[in-house]
Amino acid sequence: MKFGGTSLANAERINRSARIVQRFSPSNKIAVVVSAMDDVTDQLAEIGRLAQKGEARKTKQLLAKLQNLHLNTARSVGDRGSRRELLDKISQLNTELERTVDGIGHLRELTPRSKDYLLPFGERLSTHIFTAALQAIRLKSRSLTGAEAGITTDDNFGEARPLAEVSYHQIRQRLDPILARREIPVVAGFMAATVDGSITTLGRGGSDYTASLLGAAIGAEEIWIWTDVDGLMTADPRIVEDAAVLPNVSFWEALELSYFGAKMMHPRALQPAAQKKIPVRIRNSFRPARLGTLISEKETTGAGRVVKAVSMIRGVGIVTVSGTGMMGAPGVAAKVFQTLGSNGINVTMISQGSSEAAISCVVAKKEVERAVRGLQLALLGQGYVEKIGKEQDACIIAVVGSGMRGTPGVAARVFSAIAKKKVNVRMVAQGSSEYNISFIVSEKDGPEAVRGIHEEFQLGTLTSKKIVLC
Ligand code: ASP
Ligand code: MG
C-alpha cells in the first residue's frame, strides 16, 4: 500500500491512513510506502533554491516552518510509549536537514546530487511518523529508507533508474524477513541510493514507482495506491461535470492516460507491476469503502465501449520544421530529433504528413524557444529546411481505449464531436497501437474539446459510483 501526500497531510489523516492498514492487516501481509506530507517536497525544493541564492532569512523561515510541521504532527500521532522515540528521531532528522541546507547556503551550490540529498527528507520524516501511528494501534512496524529497503539505482541524480535485478534481490532480502515476522515495513518512497550509497531520487512523484518496484520484487498480490481521488476517471472532473470513475483499465490504457483523475502519475510507475503482471488498484483514502480503479493485464472493453477516457495535457507548444526541400530527403527527421534530444528537450508528440514537407513536434511550452533556437542552429541554411515555426498556446487531447483498436469510425466520431464544438484541430497523431488518438487544439479550446468527446462517447454513464466494498 502506498499513501500519497494528501493522505498524510496532517496527524488526523495519518491516523486515518494507519487505520486503513489496520483494517486489512489481519488477513494480509502488508508493506507500506509513504510519500512526503502534502507539499513538503515542493517546500524543500524552494528551501534549496533560497539557500543557493543566499537568501538566508527566507531560508530559515521556511525551514523552521517545515521542521515545526513534522514536530507538531509527531506530537499528535502515536501513543505515549512510542512518542518519545519518535520525537527524538524527528529532531535528529530536522538537525540533519538543517546542516544540509546550511551546506547549500555556504557553497551557494545546489547540484543534482545535493538536491537528491535534500528532497527526500520529506519521506524520511514521514516514514517515522507513519510507523509510530501504526505502532500506536498495536501494529508492529518499522521504517526504512529507500536504500534500506534495497532499492539501488544508477547515478542519474534527479531521475535515477533502478538497477532492477540487484534491487529485486535486495528488496526481497530486506523485506521478506520483516514480513515473515508479521511486521509492517514502512518504506520511504521516491528515494533510493547508488551502489556506493549516495542518495538518489526516482523523479518527482516517484513514490508510486517505489510501490510498484517493491510490489514486483516481493511478488505482491496487488499494489494499492491510496490517493485523494476515487480512481482513474473518464475525464478531469474539474472540466467535465459527469466524469466517472473507471472500474477497470489495462496497463496499456493506464499508461496512455497517464493521468489520475486530475493528477499526473509517475510515467514509469506502472512498468515493474506490468512486467510482473501485478494488478494495481487506485483507491481513495478519504472514501476507503470504494473499490477504485483496478489496473491489470485484462483488456475489458466495458460493454462494447471503444473509448474509455479523454485527458488533456496543458502547457505544451508545437515546433514545426518545414521546407519543400525536405520532401524525399532521408535523414531530416533524424536530425530534428537528434537536435532536440541533445538539447535535453523531450518530445511528447510527433507528426509528419506524407508530403514530407513538414515535421511537427510537441514539446513543453517552456522549452519551445530553446527548441526553435537549437533547430535553427542545426538545420537552417543547409538547403532542405526553410522555416522553423512555433505555436505556444496549445494543449494535447488524448482519447484512450483499447477497444479503439481495429474499430473503424472512431476517429471520425472524435473529430466530428470536435467540429460540433467549433474547435479547430491543429495537429493529429495516432500511435500504431491504436489505443490512443491524440491531437492538439489551442489552450483555450481544450476544455470544450474534452467535453465534446465525453458527450459523444457518453463516457459519463460508464460509472462505478455504485460499486462499494462492503
Ligand atoms: N514526494 C515526492 C514528490 O512530491 C514523491 C511523491 O510524492 O511521489 O514528488
Ligand atoms: Mg506526491
Side-chain angles (χ1 to χ4, degrees):
M1 293 187 178
K2 176 254 172 173
F3 292 90
T6 46
S7 306
L8 306 167
N10 53 44
E12 190 253 319
R13 291 190 186 175
I14 289 171
N15 286 329
R16 190 203 325 231
S17 297
R19 281 196 300 275
I20 290 178
V21 177
Q22 182 183 40
R23 174 162 157 205
F24 292 97
S25 73
S27 45
N28 297 284
K29 291 185 201 165
I30 301 172
V32 171
V33 172
V34 293
S35 58
M37 292 176 71
D38 197 25
D39 203 37
V40 164
T41 313
D42 282 335
Q43 290 183 35
L44 285 163
E46 179 63 15
I47 289 172
R49 267 192 300 274
L50 290 170
Q52 181 195 23
K53 279 197 290 184
E55 306 237 20
R57 210 175 51 85
K58 279 196 200 152
T59 309
K60 275 256 143 54
Q61 255 172 17
L62 198 50
L63 179 64
K65 189 177 142 205
L66 213 69
Q67 290 173 317
N68 287 330
L69 169 75
H70 289 98
L71 273 177
N72 290 334
T73 308
R75 286 195 186 102
S76 346
V77 300
D79 51 16
R80 263 210 213 113
S82 58
R83 196 164 302 148
R84 217 205 136 70
E85 203 188 328
L86 173 62
L87 288 175
D88 281 350
K89 199 71 222 175
I90 301 294
S91 304
Q92 230 173 299
L93 281 166
N94 273 345
T95 308
E96 192 184 332
L97 168 61
E98 205 166 310
R99 288 210 189 107
T100 307
V101 175
D102 278 348
I104 295 166
H106 277 302
L107 296 174
R108 293 285 201 95
E109 187 176 83
L110 186 61
T111 61
R113 184 194 176 106
S114 50
K115 198 170 169 195
D116 269 10
Y117 193 88
L118 174 66
L119 291 192
F121 270 100
E123 273 74 8
R124 291 172 68 189
L125 287 154
S126 65
T127 40
H128 288 287
I129 299 177
F130 200 82
T131 302
L134 289 176
Q135 287 165 348
I137 48 176
R138 307 279 162 264
L139 294 171
K140 278 196 269 171
S141 84
R142 54 170 296 185
S143 25
L144 295 102
T145 63
E148 283 165 352
I151 308 173
T152 303
T153 64
D154 63 14
D155 63 358
N156 182 21
F157 294 101
E159 198 75 46
R161 297 260 176 174
L163 310 173
E165 288 316 313
V166 189
S167 296
Y168 284 174
H169 176 75
Q170 292 179 159
I171 292 166
R172 276 195 303 271
Q173 256 185 349
R174 311 274 159 85
L175 297 195
D176 282 351
I178 301 176
L179 290 166
R181 290 198 299 270
R182 309 289 299 189
E183 276 180 44
I184 299 170
V186 177
V187 178
F190 176 52
M191 68 179 307
T194 60
V195 179
D196 57 14
S198 305
I199 294 182
T200 53
T201 64
L202 306 171
R204 292 304 305 271
S207 45
D208 293 334
Y209 195 16
T210 303
S212 179
L213 272 171
L214 296 189
I218 62 178
E221 259 169 71
E222 287 195 6
I223 296 161
W224 289 4
I225 309 277
W226 291 98
T227 175
D228 57 357
V229 293
D230 283 343
L232 286 173
M233 302 193 73
T234 54
D236 184 338
R238 289 171 304 188
I239 299 174
V240 179
E241 213 178 290
D242 65 340
V245 173
L246 291 156
N248 292 290
V249 301
S250 68
F251 283 117
W252 271 108
E253 289 170 328
L255 275 182
E256 301 273 8
L257 266 171
S258 75
Y259 268 85
F260 276 169
K263 284 192 184 151
M264 181 99 90
M265 156 189 204
H266 188 287
R268 289 185 305 278
L270 287 173
Q271 202 185 15
Q275 240 166 26
K276 302 261 165 157
K277 304 188 175 43
I278 300 173
V280 176
R281 206 180 269 285
I282 316 295
R283 300 186 63 166
N284 191 342
S285 73
F286 298 86
R287 297 199 274 203
R290 302 199 174 189
L291 271 180
T293 298
L294 184 68
I295 306 173
S296 69
E297 264 223 302
K298 262 212 268 109
E299 302 211 319
T300 44
T301 41
R305 286 178 193 271
V306 285
V307 169
K308 277 200 176 164
V310 48
S311 71
M312 176 171 108
I313 302 161
R314 292 179 210 263
V316 298
I318 312 175
V319 178
T320 300
V321 175
S322 58
T324 43
M326 286 164 59
M327 296 161 85
V332 184
K335 200 83 196 270
V336 169
F337 297 126
Q338 196 202 5
T339 306
L340 294 173
S342 61
N343 280 293
I345 295 167
N346 184 42
V347 178
T348 334
M349 205 172 131
I350 304 163
S351 92
Q352 174 182 283
S354 62
S355 80
E356 300 179 32
I359 296 173
S360 296
C361 301
V362 175
V363 302
K365 195 179 198 161
K366 61 178 195 300
E367 307 277 32
V368 167
E369 291 298 341
R370 242 159 37 81
V372 169
R373 246 177 292 127
L375 290 168
Q376 280 169 341
L377 280 174
L379 298 172
L380 288 182
Q382 299 187 6
Y384 43 94
V385 172
E386 284 150 27
K387 194 175 155 220
I388 293 163
K390 64 175 181 197
E391 288 179 59
Q392 251 157 331
D393 86 294
C395 66
I396 304 179
I397 309 288
V399 184
V400 175
S402 56
M404 283 158 57
R405 183 158 155 199
T407 309
V410 182
R413 277 176 74 187
V414 166
F415 292 113
S416 62
I418 299 303
K420 253 190 250 159
K421 296 279 183 188
K422 305 221 173 349
V423 169
N424 180 39
V425 175
R426 296 183 177 173
M427 178 176 160
V428 183
Q430 174 179 304
S432 60
S433 72
E434 296 185 38
Y435 284 125
N436 169 329
I437 296 174
S438 303
F439 57 91
I440 299 281
V441 301
S442 77
E443 200 147 22
K444 74 166 184 7
D445 286 341
E448 206 46 33
V450 168
R451 285 190 281 268
I453 290 163
H454 207 267
E455 280 162 30
E456 169 65 30
F457 291 93
Q458 296 178 350
L459 300 182
T461 55
L462 193 77
T463 176
S464 74
K465 275 180 190 139
K466 280 165 209 76
I467 305 177
V468 294
L469 187 68
C470 301

PDB file of all heavy atoms in Angstrom, residues 406-424:
ATOM      1  N   GLY A 406      -8.678  -1.480 -34.201  1.00  0.00           N
ATOM      2  CA  GLY A 406      -9.385  -2.230 -35.235  1.00  0.00           C
ATOM      3  C   GLY A 406     -10.848  -1.863 -35.396  1.00  0.00           C
ATOM      4  O   GLY A 406     -11.560  -2.474 -36.188  1.00  0.00           O
ATOM      5  N   THR A 407     -11.330  -0.875 -34.625  1.00  0.00           N
ATOM      6  CA  THR A 407     -12.722  -0.464 -34.790  1.00  0.00           C
ATOM      7  C   THR A 407     -12.790   0.729 -35.735  1.00  0.00           C
ATOM      8  O   THR A 407     -12.226   1.775 -35.428  1.00  0.00           O
ATOM      9  CB  THR A 407     -13.332  -0.047 -33.430  1.00  0.00           C
ATOM     10  OG1 THR A 407     -13.087  -1.081 -32.498  1.00  0.00           O
ATOM     11  CG2 THR A 407     -14.822   0.212 -33.551  1.00  0.00           C
ATOM     12  N   PRO A 408     -13.441   0.569 -36.873  1.00  0.00           N
ATOM     13  CA  PRO A 408     -13.497   1.694 -37.810  1.00  0.00           C
ATOM     14  C   PRO A 408     -14.433   2.784 -37.300  1.00  0.00           C
ATOM     15  O   PRO A 408     -15.366   2.504 -36.538  1.00  0.00           O
ATOM     16  CB  PRO A 408     -14.068   1.083 -39.099  1.00  0.00           C
ATOM     17  CG  PRO A 408     -14.264  -0.370 -38.839  1.00  0.00           C
ATOM     18  CD  PRO A 408     -14.197  -0.600 -37.369  1.00  0.00           C
ATOM     19  N   GLY A 409     -14.170   3.999 -37.699  1.00  0.00           N
ATOM     20  CA  GLY A 409     -15.113   5.077 -37.420  1.00  0.00           C
ATOM     21  C   GLY A 409     -14.875   5.843 -36.140  1.00  0.00           C
ATOM     22  O   GLY A 409     -15.551   6.834 -35.881  1.00  0.00           O
ATOM     23  N   VAL A 410     -13.917   5.394 -35.313  1.00  0.00           N
ATOM     24  CA  VAL A 410     -13.699   6.090 -34.045  1.00  0.00           C
ATOM     25  C   VAL A 410     -13.144   7.495 -34.302  1.00  0.00           C
ATOM     26  O   VAL A 410     -13.632   8.487 -33.753  1.00  0.00           O
ATOM     27  CB  VAL A 410     -12.731   5.321 -33.124  1.00  0.00           C
ATOM     28  CG1 VAL A 410     -12.572   6.060 -31.806  1.00  0.00           C
ATOM     29  CG2 VAL A 410     -13.244   3.916 -32.877  1.00  0.00           C
ATOM     30  N   ALA A 411     -12.161   7.558 -35.175  1.00  0.00           N
ATOM     31  CA  ALA A 411     -11.556   8.860 -35.466  1.00  0.00           C
ATOM     32  C   ALA A 411     -12.599   9.812 -36.025  1.00  0.00           C
ATOM     33  O   ALA A 411     -12.655  10.988 -35.651  1.00  0.00           O
ATOM     34  CB  ALA A 411     -10.395   8.702 -36.440  1.00  0.00           C
ATOM     35  N   ALA A 412     -13.449   9.292 -36.887  1.00  0.00           N
ATOM     36  CA  ALA A 412     -14.495  10.136 -37.477  1.00  0.00           C
ATOM     37  C   ALA A 412     -15.386  10.713 -36.387  1.00  0.00           C
ATOM     38  O   ALA A 412     -15.700  11.905 -36.387  1.00  0.00           O
ATOM     39  CB  ALA A 412     -15.326   9.321 -38.467  1.00  0.00           C
ATOM     40  N   ARG A 413     -15.771   9.867 -35.444  1.00  0.00           N
ATOM     41  CA  ARG A 413     -16.637  10.351 -34.357  1.00  0.00           C
ATOM     42  C   ARG A 413     -15.900  11.375 -33.499  1.00  0.00           C
ATOM     43  O   ARG A 413     -16.476  12.375 -33.071  1.00  0.00           O
ATOM     44  CB  ARG A 413     -17.098   9.189 -33.496  1.00  0.00           C
ATOM     45  CG  ARG A 413     -18.298   8.469 -34.074  1.00  0.00           C
ATOM     46  CD  ARG A 413     -18.667   7.270 -33.237  1.00  0.00           C
ATOM     47  NE  ARG A 413     -19.315   7.630 -31.974  1.00  0.00           N
ATOM     48  CZ  ARG A 413     -19.591   6.726 -31.022  1.00  0.00           C
ATOM     49  NH1 ARG A 413     -19.280   5.460 -31.197  1.00  0.00           N
ATOM     50  NH2 ARG A 413     -20.192   7.109 -29.913  1.00  0.00           N
ATOM     51  N   VAL A 414     -14.621  11.099 -33.217  1.00  0.00           N
ATOM     52  CA  VAL A 414     -13.835  12.030 -32.401  1.00  0.00           C
ATOM     53  C   VAL A 414     -13.820  13.410 -33.056  1.00  0.00           C
ATOM     54  O   VAL A 414     -14.156  14.414 -32.430  1.00  0.00           O
ATOM     55  CB  VAL A 414     -12.391  11.519 -32.210  1.00  0.00           C
ATOM     56  CG1 VAL A 414     -11.488  12.628 -31.668  1.00  0.00           C
ATOM     57  CG2 VAL A 414     -12.374  10.313 -31.285  1.00  0.00           C
ATOM     58  N   PHE A 415     -13.485  13.429 -34.353  1.00  0.00           N
ATOM     59  CA  PHE A 415     -13.294  14.735 -34.977  1.00  0.00           C
ATOM     60  C   PHE A 415     -14.609  15.427 -35.311  1.00  0.00           C
ATOM     61  O   PHE A 415     -14.670  16.651 -35.337  1.00  0.00           O
ATOM     62  CB  PHE A 415     -12.354  14.617 -36.171  1.00  0.00           C
ATOM     63  CG  PHE A 415     -10.960  14.270 -35.714  1.00  0.00           C
ATOM     64  CD1 PHE A 415     -10.387  13.046 -36.012  1.00  0.00           C
ATOM     65  CD2 PHE A 415     -10.250  15.162 -34.919  1.00  0.00           C
ATOM     66  CE1 PHE A 415      -9.122  12.716 -35.538  1.00  0.00           C
ATOM     67  CE2 PHE A 415      -8.989  14.843 -34.444  1.00  0.00           C
ATOM     68  CZ  PHE A 415      -8.428  13.615 -34.748  1.00  0.00           C
ATOM     69  N   SER A 416     -15.680  14.649 -35.516  1.00  0.00           N
ATOM     70  CA  SER A 416     -16.932  15.373 -35.726  1.00  0.00           C
ATOM     71  C   SER A 416     -17.449  15.939 -34.411  1.00  0.00           C
ATOM     72  O   SER A 416     -18.067  16.996 -34.384  1.00  0.00           O
ATOM     73  CB  SER A 416     -17.972  14.526 -36.476  1.00  0.00           C
ATOM     74  OG  SER A 416     -18.296  13.404 -35.715  1.00  0.00           O
ATOM     75  N   ALA A 417     -17.143  15.245 -33.302  1.00  0.00           N
ATOM     76  CA  ALA A 417     -17.528  15.807 -31.995  1.00  0.00           C
ATOM     77  C   ALA A 417     -16.807  17.136 -31.757  1.00  0.00           C
ATOM     78  O   ALA A 417     -17.370  18.083 -31.205  1.00  0.00           O
ATOM     79  CB  ALA A 417     -17.204  14.817 -30.881  1.00  0.00           C
ATOM     80  N   ILE A 418     -15.549  17.182 -32.176  1.00  0.00           N
ATOM     81  CA  ILE A 418     -14.766  18.408 -32.017  1.00  0.00           C
ATOM     82  C   ILE A 418     -15.303  19.515 -32.929  1.00  0.00           C
ATOM     83  O   ILE A 418     -15.428  20.673 -32.532  1.00  0.00           O
ATOM     84  CB  ILE A 418     -13.287  18.142 -32.376  1.00  0.00           C
ATOM     85  CG1 ILE A 418     -12.703  17.098 -31.442  1.00  0.00           C
ATOM     86  CG2 ILE A 418     -12.456  19.410 -32.317  1.00  0.00           C
ATOM     87  CD1 ILE A 418     -12.805  17.481 -30.000  1.00  0.00           C
ATOM     88  N   ALA A 419     -15.641  19.102 -34.156  1.00  0.00           N
ATOM     89  CA  ALA A 419     -16.169  20.076 -35.116  1.00  0.00           C
ATOM     90  C   ALA A 419     -17.467  20.678 -34.598  1.00  0.00           C
ATOM     91  O   ALA A 419     -17.695  21.883 -34.706  1.00  0.00           O
ATOM     92  CB  ALA A 419     -16.383  19.408 -36.472  1.00  0.00           C
ATOM     93  N   LYS A 420     -18.312  19.836 -34.004  1.00  0.00           N
ATOM     94  CA  LYS A 420     -19.579  20.315 -33.448  1.00  0.00           C
ATOM     95  C   LYS A 420     -19.351  21.411 -32.419  1.00  0.00           C
ATOM     96  O   LYS A 420     -20.150  22.316 -32.260  1.00  0.00           O
ATOM     97  CB  LYS A 420     -20.327  19.148 -32.784  1.00  0.00           C
ATOM     98  CG  LYS A 420     -21.534  18.673 -33.597  1.00  0.00           C
ATOM     99  CD  LYS A 420     -22.356  17.696 -32.788  1.00  0.00           C
ATOM    100  CE  LYS A 420     -22.223  16.285 -33.368  1.00  0.00           C
ATOM    101  NZ  LYS A 420     -22.557  15.223 -32.412  1.00  0.00           N
ATOM    102  N   LYS A 421     -18.249  21.303 -31.686  1.00  0.00           N
ATOM    103  CA  LYS A 421     -17.928  22.323 -30.690  1.00  0.00           C
ATOM    104  C   LYS A 421     -17.194  23.513 -31.304  1.00  0.00           C
ATOM    105  O   LYS A 421     -16.708  24.388 -30.567  1.00  0.00           O
ATOM    106  CB  LYS A 421     -17.063  21.708 -29.574  1.00  0.00           C
ATOM    107  CG  LYS A 421     -17.769  20.629 -28.772  1.00  0.00           C
ATOM    108  CD  LYS A 421     -18.659  21.243 -27.728  1.00  0.00           C
ATOM    109  CE  LYS A 421     -19.308  20.167 -26.864  1.00  0.00           C
ATOM    110  NZ  LYS A 421     -20.330  20.722 -25.971  1.00  0.00           N
ATOM    111  N   LYS A 422     -17.054  23.493 -32.624  1.00  0.00           N
ATOM    112  CA  LYS A 422     -16.370  24.566 -33.355  1.00  0.00           C
ATOM    113  C   LYS A 422     -14.938  24.770 -32.875  1.00  0.00           C
ATOM    114  O   LYS A 422     -14.449  25.893 -32.725  1.00  0.00           O
ATOM    115  CB  LYS A 422     -17.134  25.882 -33.225  1.00  0.00           C
ATOM    116  CG  LYS A 422     -18.596  25.792 -33.663  1.00  0.00           C
ATOM    117  CD  LYS A 422     -18.996  27.008 -34.438  1.00  0.00           C
ATOM    118  CE  LYS A 422     -20.375  26.972 -35.061  1.00  0.00           C
ATOM    119  NZ  LYS A 422     -21.094  25.702 -35.066  1.00  0.00           N
ATOM    120  N   VAL A 423     -14.293  23.663 -32.590  1.00  0.00           N
ATOM    121  CA  VAL A 423     -12.904  23.733 -32.153  1.00  0.00           C
ATOM    122  C   VAL A 423     -11.999  23.308 -33.300  1.00  0.00           C
ATOM    123  O   VAL A 423     -12.263  22.327 -33.983  1.00  0.00           O
ATOM    124  CB  VAL A 423     -12.670  22.817 -30.924  1.00  0.00           C
ATOM    125  CG1 VAL A 423     -11.180  22.666 -30.633  1.00  0.00           C
ATOM    126  CG2 VAL A 423     -13.391  23.369 -29.712  1.00  0.00           C
ATOM    127  N   ASN A 424     -10.954  24.089 -33.504  1.00  0.00           N
ATOM    128  CA  ASN A 424     -10.033  23.800 -34.588  1.00  0.00           C
ATOM    129  C   ASN A 424      -8.930  22.838 -34.134  1.00  0.00           C
ATOM    130  O   ASN A 424      -8.341  23.011 -33.076  1.00  0.00           O
ATOM    131  CB  ASN A 424      -9.409  25.131 -35.046  1.00  0.00           C
ATOM    132  CG  ASN A 424      -8.439  24.927 -36.177  1.00  0.00           C
ATOM    133  OD1 ASN A 424      -8.688  24.113 -37.076  1.00  0.00           O
ATOM    134  ND2 ASN A 424      -7.325  25.626 -36.128  1.00  0.00           N
TER     135      ASN A 424
END
